[in-house]
Amino acid sequence: ALLTGVTKFGHLSIFSDLNNLNDISLDAEYSGICGITNEELHTYFNQGVKDFADSIGKTEDDVYTLLKENYDGYHFSPIGSKDVYNPFSLLNCMSEEWFGNYWFRTGTPSFLIKMIRGEGLPLQELASYETSLSSLSDVSFQLTDIIPVLYQSGYLTIKGYDERFDIATLGFPNKEVENGFFNQLMPLNSGNR
């Protein structure tokens, strides 16, 4: 069985039945399991990319480049992680033959909106935010630190890792998430919505 979710609430109680799970969240062996890898895109979507390119008057290479810029870039391991595309956005883009912001159609958790409104976000640092690797999987019942929540919910991903100091550099995975964050979530922070 594979159990996925935003945070590891099962580990919050010493009496939880979920304390004995094997957490593969940062394991390189499984880093491509929750998305579509570049190899899978080229193997299984090649004809779709060709049709998409023809319909919008671009080359296949142009479409692959735009797909990568908009929907690729998730990393689920600090070392040896595969790049993975967001499957929801990629499949919608290929179906509609349009480079839209599909991920935000899935909704924004209300607790995240409350955290953004209540906490001073280091906006200028979010494109290359440094934090300890262990903080990415730590979760408290109060959800008081927004950076692990942004990572666990897919707004930020691992961009680099300094093994010596156990420091992960986080950033936006792709244009879709970065544009959506600043265009849809940040107005909530300033009360413009």
Side-chain angles (χ1 to χ4, degrees):
L2 177 65
L3 177 68
T4 64
V6 174
T7 56
K8 299 187 297 182
F9 289 112
H11 286 265
L12 295 178
S13 168
I14 60 170
F15 299 111
S16 171
D17 289 337
L18 294 177
N19 280 344
N20 296 317
L21 294 175
N22 181 17
D23 182 1
I24 61 171
S25 300
L26 297 171
D27 191 329
E29 183 178 356
Y30 303 102
S31 65
I33 200 170
C34 290
I36 296 170
T37 66
N38 198 48
E39 296 80 20
E40 291 167 338
L41 177 67
H42 284 268
T43 300
Y44 302 112
F45 293 84
N46 196 43
Q47 184 60 49
V49 169
K50 183 180 180 341
D51 295 343
F52 188 0
D54 290 344
S55 76
I56 62 173
K58 295 198 178 285
T59 68
E60 290 176 52
D61 287 341
D62 289 340
V63 170
Y64 277 117
T65 297
L66 289 167
L67 290 171
K68 186 168 192 59
E69 288 174 359
N70 284 284
Y71 310 118
D72 189 22
Y74 289 94
H75 300 106
F76 297 108
S77 176
I79 299 170
S81 182
K82 293 181 180 180
D83 258 12
V84 293
Y85 290 79
N86 176 327
F88 181 80
S89 297
L90 180 68
L91 293 174
N92 276 284
C93 176
M94 295 293 293
S95 174
E96 295 181 16
E97 295 183 340
W98 179 258
F99 292 97
N101 293 324
Y102 303 101
W103 190 61
F104 284 87
R105 291 183 187 175
T106 62
T108 301
S110 58
F111 73 87
L112 185 57
I113 293 170
K114 289 177 188 175
M115 289 183 78
I116 288 171
R117 284 186 174 149
E119 188 169 319
L121 277 175
L123 294 180
Q124 64 279 8
E125 298 174 27
L126 286 181
S128 60
Y129 189 87
E130 293 185 344
T131 188
S132 70
L133 189 62
S134 62
S135 73
L136 298 181
S137 57
D138 287 348
V139 62
S140 69
F141 203 59
Q142 289 80 24
L143 293 174
T144 54
D145 187 0
I146 195 164
I147 297 300
V149 175
L150 289 174
Y151 168 74
Q152 293 174 14
S153 57
Y155 290 94
L156 297 176
T157 194
I158 299 171
K159 292 289 191 174
Y161 178 63
D162 185 331
E163 196 170 357
R164 180 176 174 204
F165 296 104
D166 191 37
I167 298 294
T169 302
L170 305 178
F172 295 107
N174 51 50
K175 283 185 180 180
E176 179 189 35
V177 174
E178 184 173 14
N179 291 341
F181 184 84
F182 285 109
N183 295 331
Q184 295 183 28
L185 287 182
M186 285 323 300
L188 299 172
N189 191 41
S190 60
N192 293 337
R193 216 177 216 197

